[in-house]
Amino acid sequence: MARRLTQLDEWPRHPTIDTFDTVVSDSPRWSDGYWFCIGDPDGQCFLLTALRWYPNTNIVDGYAICSLADGRQYNLRVSRRMRPRIDDLDCGPLWMEIVEGLRTIRLGAHPNDAGIEFDLLWEGAAPCWDETPGVRHHVDGRVSFARSNFVQLGHVSGHITVAGRRFEVGGEWVGARDHSWGIGETGTGNRPDVAAPTAGAMIQGATLGAFGMRQWALVRFPTRSIYYWFHHAADGTMSVFASRVDYPFDSGQEG
């Protein structure tokens, strides 16, 4: 595949001699993208939406899921070829704009058959937390997980329309987001390049040691943002625990 210059290549940020059209791994599981969840304090409307790029399979995909207090859920799923429109942050009716990195983002959905439309301004409530700074896992000498991600809580304004019902977003509405990239630990699936599983391992997914109870939470208070997650494994051990408190921009307080 011939390499392609992208708009990011204009910036003096190259970590290698390659262009931003390529990534360091040839794994088809390598991806990079965003996840947002947005809701009102009264529980009338809850929105989940995401966009993700897969450079080694030349795919962009995304979704929007909206649930209302009447118990109904509305779903939108989209995909497209990534190249040549690698610089465009959209997929079908879903779109986003990075207004100021790590602080301000616009995201939305144009009118579509699923009946989910929105135009939202995301403003970070506190600095992003670098939750998974380049974590790698190996199984039998093979990379099974190599991923980074950061998370952030924010203030959201704009509007959401679902099945003809319009919700004005602002005030006490809360948003949480995640930006992750790398190789996710999502199970073996039907990939033809997978070696024989380790004795006793679970085919089509995680090993028994990965089962248990997991909680990942982001909570926004007026004067601070709190993040925590843990995994209570099947053998009774607390295999993962992490937490973070951050304060509003320009507060002068360190997280």
Side-chain angles (χ1 to χ4, degrees):
M1 179 182 69
R3 81 181 203 167
R4 182 188 300 271
L5 289 169
T6 71
Q7 293 175 14
L8 286 175
D9 289 301
E10 190 67 73
W11 294 84
R13 294 291 188 268
H14 291 88
T16 71
I17 61 172
D18 295 316
T19 62
F20 280 92
D21 182 47
T22 60
V23 294
V24 68
S25 169
D26 61 358
S27 170
R29 292 188 293 151
W30 182 283
S31 65
D32 192 336
Y34 308 85
W35 170 89
F36 294 85
C37 71
I38 295 158
D40 72 302
D42 297 327
Q44 297 298 307
C45 178
F46 184 74
L47 173 69
L48 283 170
T49 186
L51 280 171
R52 199 149 198 94
W53 282 256
Y54 301 81
N56 292 330
T57 55
N58 199 32
I59 291 172
V60 182
D61 68 10
Y63 62 81
I65 302 170
C66 196
S67 61
L68 303 182
D70 61 7
R72 294 187 178 184
Q73 178 175 300
Y74 300 84
N75 305 293
L76 168 69
R77 294 189 65 91
V78 293
S79 65
R80 68 167 173 86
R81 289 182 178 271
M82 189 177 78
R83 300 176 181 88
R85 294 200 304 113
I86 188 173
D87 285 311
D88 297 340
L89 302 183
D90 64 43
C91 186
L94 296 178
W95 58 270
M96 64 177 290
E97 174 190 356
I98 301 171
V99 179
E100 182 180 357
L102 307 182
R103 291 193 70 153
T104 308
I105 294 173
R106 284 192 66 212
L107 62 151
H110 298 301
N112 57 81
D113 293 340
I116 303 174
E117 303 172 34
F118 54 94
D119 189 336
L120 301 169
L121 180 67
W122 164 282
E123 297 177 283
C128 298
W129 177 35
D130 192 8
E131 182 185 48
T132 309
V135 174
R136 290 176 173 83
H137 297 160
H138 294 80
V139 176
D140 289 345
R142 301 171 65 250
V143 175
S144 63
F145 177 88
R147 202 167 187 83
S148 291
N149 85 291
F150 61 80
V151 294
Q152 187 180 42
L153 285 151
H155 303 279
V156 189
S157 58
H159 60 84
I160 300 171
T161 300
V162 185
R165 292 184 59 187
R166 182 180 171 107
F167 297 86
E168 299 300 326
V169 178
E172 296 303 311
W173 285 64
V174 177
R177 76 180 185 105
D178 170 281
H179 183 177
S180 64
W181 61 98
I183 300 171
E185 196 165 29
T186 55
T188 59
N190 296 316
R191 300 195 315 278
D193 58 338
V194 175
T198 305
M202 299 281 290
I203 301 176
Q204 296 287 341
T207 60
L208 185 61
F211 285 91
M213 183 177 71
R214 179 177 186 267
Q215 188 172 63
W216 181 77
L218 300 86
V219 186
R220 196 197 77 197
F221 290 106
T223 60
R224 67 200 67 200
S225 295
I226 296 177
Y227 314 92
Y228 71 87
W229 68 291
F230 66 82
H231 184 90
H232 188 251
D235 63 4
T237 62
M238 191 70 76
S239 58
V240 175
F241 180 82
S243 62
R244 172 79 175 180
V245 177
D246 267 314
Y247 301 94
F249 290 104
D250 305 321
S251 69
Q253 292 182 273
E254 290 289 330

